[in-house]
């Protein structure tokens, strides 16, 4: 699995255009082979900041995504509307686990 985390800061006056392009990118990417998770989220404390979380089954499938036509279109908009502030990527074997909800507090 490949895990990618990215921080993207919209340039002044470009938030709406960038958000629309991100929505299109999410819709197309989520149907790609190997895409497990592909989600943009607005930062709750930094106006104009977005976070991207991607999980891919393999590096090869993620690279196919990078070269896809919709990715190239998105990168064209991204280059005009934002600055990538941070990228972190990790790869390796993972195991599916079950997590529990927190226990309710007793008063």
């Amino acid at each position: 699995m490949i895990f990618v985390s990215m921080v993207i800061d919209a340039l002044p006056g470009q938030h709406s255009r960038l958000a629309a392009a991100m929505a299109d990118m999410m819709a197309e990417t989520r149907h790609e082979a190997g895409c497990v998770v592909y989600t943009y989220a607005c930062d709750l404390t930094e106006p104009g900041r977005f976070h991207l979380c991607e999980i891919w089954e393999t590096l090869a499938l993620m690279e196919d995504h990078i070269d896809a036509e919709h990715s190239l279109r998105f990168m064209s908009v991204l280059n005009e509307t934002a600055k990538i502030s941070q990228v972190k990527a990790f790869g390796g074997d993972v195991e599916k686990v079950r997590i529990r909800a927190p226990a309710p507090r007793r008063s």
Side-chain angles (χ1 to χ4, degrees):
M1 292 272 199
I2 306 299
F3 302 84
V4 179
S5 171
M6 192 177 299
V7 177
I8 301 167
D9 292 308
L11 297 175
Q14 296 296 320
H15 184 274
S16 295
R17 182 175 175 214
L18 178 59
M22 288 174 167
D24 291 343
M25 182 67 165
M26 273 192 337
E28 293 187 65
T29 299
R30 288 176 173 176
H31 295 288
E32 288 184 61
C35 180
V36 177
V37 172
Y38 193 91
T39 302
Y40 289 97
C42 291
D43 191 295
L44 299 177
T45 60
E46 292 289 330
R49 177 167 281 179
F50 295 90
H51 296 269
L52 170 62
C53 175
E54 300 180 60
I55 302 175
W56 294 90
E57 290 177 0
T58 68
L59 181 59
L61 290 170
M62 187 187 80
E63 288 176 344
D64 289 346
H65 157 73
I66 292 169
D67 295 332
E69 184 62 34
H70 64 272
S71 293
L72 299 175
R73 282 193 315 268
F74 175 74
M75 287 307 297
S76 177
V77 174
L78 181 71
N79 288 332
E80 296 173 0
T81 60
K83 179 184 86 164
I84 297 173
S85 302
Q86 182 183 83
V87 178
K88 294 180 182 178
F90 305 92
D93 295 331
V94 296
E95 172 183 330
K96 187 173 183 176
V97 298
R98 184 172 282 238
I99 61 171
R100 65 175 181 79
R105 293 185 181 196
R106 297 188 179 171
S107 17

